Amino acid sequence: MQRTVFFVSDSTGITAETIGHSILTQFEGVDFDTHRMPFVNDVDKAHAAVTRIKSAWARTGLRPIVVNTAVDAALSEILGGSGALMLDVFAPFIGPLEHELGVRRHKLVNRAHGLFDAAKYEARIDATNYALAHDDGLDPSYKDADLILIGVSRSGKTPTCLYMALHFGLRAANYPLTPEDLELAELPKRLQGQRQRLFGLTITAERLAQIRSERRPDSRYASPEQCRWELAQADNLFRREGIAVLNSTHTSIEEIGSKILAQLGIERHLL
């Protein structure tokens, strides 16, 4: 069974899509055909969205599902005219909160992702620039790093650093453990004295070989034997140095990020 789902928002649609995906994953056996419709922020765009939703209904013969984060009640009413199952993300919470706080909400968009708060937005940008500048050991100085991810090449360090920078404003650097580092059987000199900020990432040899083969096929770098050796040496290093480590093979970036924060004792909230 396949159902069409629209994530509709008067802003970027990130909130609608994130919450929507979290809900949809609870239903096994259903194939969801998802579509994001951002910036539905005026009457004309709302009517155009309704036309698209009705078209999907006519094409599939099944009632579409709409996850809606539009803050304007008038736009939500127009969207409701599509006849789709409407899941208004904010509706169940706004009324009770207004009653509890004695304050009416301000119907402003772009508050959820740092676009409204200039300081938070700048923190995200600065952290992202830091992650890029300190990717794969490019910058030798880690004095301003909140954390340093270490692991063999292609174990997931870069995307994790960028995620943590964008979503938490963390200054995350990463250092690739090269075969030369692993042969020394000790913590690389550039990382000595940084143990409290280190966190290791590992991965299965099979998955690592697959990832490396996409980049450099038929190379020693991508061979299963080389991958197994590097991972074994890295795991030995992590154990000797008492460095916390997480396997990234079947773990989402979001989960990796949350576990790293918890294990390093870093208190940071989504920006």
Side-chain angles (χ1 to χ4, degrees):
M1 178 173 62
Q2 184 180 75
R3 296 294 293 270
T4 305
V5 182
F6 293 96
F7 304 121
V8 183
S9 171
D10 48 15
S11 184
T12 62
I14 295 173
T15 299
E17 188 169 9
T18 300
I19 295 175
H21 274 303
S22 297
I23 295 171
L24 298 180
T25 56
Q26 306 303 310
F27 298 89
E28 295 183 0
V30 182
D31 182 17
F32 293 106
D33 179 24
T34 60
H35 305 269
R36 180 155 58 101
M37 289 196 287
F39 305 113
V40 180
N41 50 18
D42 61 35
V43 171
D44 290 340
K45 292 177 182 176
H47 282 298
V50 168
T51 299
R52 184 176 173 186
I53 294 167
K54 287 183 175 180
S55 175
W57 193 343
R59 184 178 66 256
T60 64
L62 294 172
R63 185 187 187 195
I65 299 165
V66 172
V67 180
N68 172 38
T69 57
V71 298
D72 190 327
L75 297 181
S76 293
E77 185 175 354
I78 293 172
L79 294 169
S82 66
L85 172 64
M86 297 295 299
L87 303 178
D88 191 322
V89 173
F90 297 142
F93 308 103
I94 296 297
L97 273 172
E98 287 181 336
H99 177 75
E100 179 69 23
L101 300 174
V103 177
R104 299 285 292 179
R105 69 167 175 171
H106 291 287
K107 298 179 181 179
L108 298 176
V109 301
N110 292 339
R111 284 178 176 255
H113 299 285
L115 299 176
F116 183 82
D117 189 319
K120 288 183 177 180
Y121 184 73
E122 286 298 322
R124 291 167 62 192
I125 297 302
D126 289 345
T128 301
N129 287 334
Y130 184 90
L132 292 172
H134 294 77
D135 183 42
D136 274 349
L138 290 179
D139 192 313
S141 174
Y142 297 124
K143 64 183 181 64
D144 295 323
D146 293 309
L147 62 98
I148 307 165
L149 294 186
I150 64 174
V152 303
S153 172
R154 313 304 286 179
S155 57
K157 302 182 300 300
T158 297
T160 300
C161 284
L162 289 174
Y163 168 79
M164 298 180 79
L166 282 168
H167 292 272
F168 296 99
L170 280 170
R171 291 176 175 265
N174 79 76
Y175 182 92
L177 294 171
T178 66
E180 291 74 22
D181 290 327
L182 297 171
E183 286 174 354
L184 294 175
E186 64 179 19
L187 200 64
K189 289 184 179 180
R190 288 175 55 187
L191 300 179
Q192 293 175 8
Q194 306 288 345
R195 189 175 284 102
Q196 298 304 313
R197 293 188 280 186
L198 297 180
F199 196 97
L201 287 185
T202 189
I203 190 172
T204 64
E206 294 76 16
R207 179 57 179 154
L208 181 61
Q210 179 184 21
I211 294 171
R212 289 183 172 185
S213 291
E214 294 172 358
R215 187 177 187 182
R216 290 166 57 184
D218 303 319
S219 64
R220 181 172 180 271
Y221 167 79
S223 70
E225 295 78 14
Q226 179 68 18
C227 292
R228 282 193 292 269
W229 180 83
E230 289 186 27
L231 289 168
Q233 293 299 108
D235 287 343
N236 289 336
L237 176 65
F238 296 149
R239 283 195 296 271
R240 283 197 309 271
E241 299 292 336
I243 297 170
V245 60
L246 183 65
N247 192 310
S248 65
T249 308
H250 302 295
T251 309
S252 68
I253 291 176
E254 294 85 354
E255 186 177 352
I256 293 172
S258 295
K259 287 184 175 180
I260 290 174
L261 291 180
Q263 292 198 43
L264 292 182
I266 299 174
E267 183 70 25
R268 192 66 64 92
H269 302 285
L270 288 170
L271 295 181

